[in-house]
Amino acid sequence: MNLTRISEIKPLMERHGFRFSKSLGQNFLINDDIPRRIVENAGIDQNTSVLEIGPGIGCLTCRLAEKAAKVTAVEIDRRLLPVLEETLSAHDNIEIINADILKIDVSELCAARGITAVCANLPYYITTPVIMRLLESNTSIKTFTVMVQREVARRFTSEPGTKEYGAITLAVNYYSRPEILFDVSPGNFIPAPKVFSSVVKFTVRSSPMLSCDKKILFRIIKAGFSKRRKTLANALFDELKEDKDDIVKKIEEAGFPADIRAEKLSLEDFGRLTEVFCFL
Ligand code: SAM
């Protein structure tokens, strides 16, 4: 069965009385090249235990099962369970878990199954929370190869000083090295979304990129980007309620001009600021 061919998807959906749910971000792939390329780029082999988020009717799940030792697929929509039972019946290395990926204990799930890779065509309404949750959880995951909205992908990989650059760029780069692999146009899905998508591979850093205090680092990043139009000194003053002159002094001590804005600073720069703001 070709799970990306419309002529097979439609009768399958009719047999199961299934209709797409917009609120669950259900845009299914109709071009087999995409799941193949995701699996190829993810570096899956017969020793890999992989987690898939949102298998839908199983087009990526099948491709993963052909290469991996085991696939654990977490799907929130109960209506897809009988569909998946039919479409994945030829494979004996797939486990479907009916759950919300944002509500399960990912660390426990990954530890119990030796999961080292994540692959997904992510539902766009929860892209950032899912990625942050997986990156922040203490798991054995080494790579995430996931499809997201193109503009979100650009935010993950943007450089300081660009309009896409923000707190989320710094957060994902703290934990991993994100890389855009390829773009996917709306015509590759049913129903077609309004936006382009990109496949991004995140290679998780084996040790944190910075040795500074993580809590203070993210407090400064959050404060700095909460008021984008303000200077970093003013944004930090609003957020931290510390003496303004002290804040300016510390910014200069870290080697930056008093009127610097957060969007100009790299992750390493925020690391330097964290060292001088360690009183927080
Ligand atoms: N993997 C399939 C494909 O590429 O054609 C379907 C991808 S579709 C964009 C997203 C899938 O994620 C849907 O099957 C949807 O039901 C599921 N999903 C949505 N929210 C979820 C959640 N919170 N936890 C787990 N799965 C979810």
Side-chain angles (χ1 to χ4, degrees), residues 38-44 117-118 142-148 153 156-157 176-182 198-204:
I38 292 177
V39 177
E40 232 172 70
N41 280 287
I44 307 288
V118 175
K142 293 191 169 70
T143 62
F144 302 64
T145 311
V146 296
M147 179 135 54
V148 302
F156 293 148
T157 55
S176 70
R177 287 188 308 275
E179 169 197 6
I180 296 181
L181 298 178
F182 56 93
S198 300
V199 175
V200 186
K201 182 171 182 179
F202 299 85
T203 305
V204 178

Side-chain angles (χ1 to χ4, degrees), residues 41-67:
N41 280 287
I44 307 288
D45 64 26
Q46 73 264 36
N47 297 314
T48 318
S49 176
V50 53
L51 168 66
E52 186 190 0
I53 300 157
I57 58 170
C59 67
L60 175 59
T61 328
C62 278
R63 295 286 166 235
L64 288 168
E66 286 164 7
K67 297 272 183 215

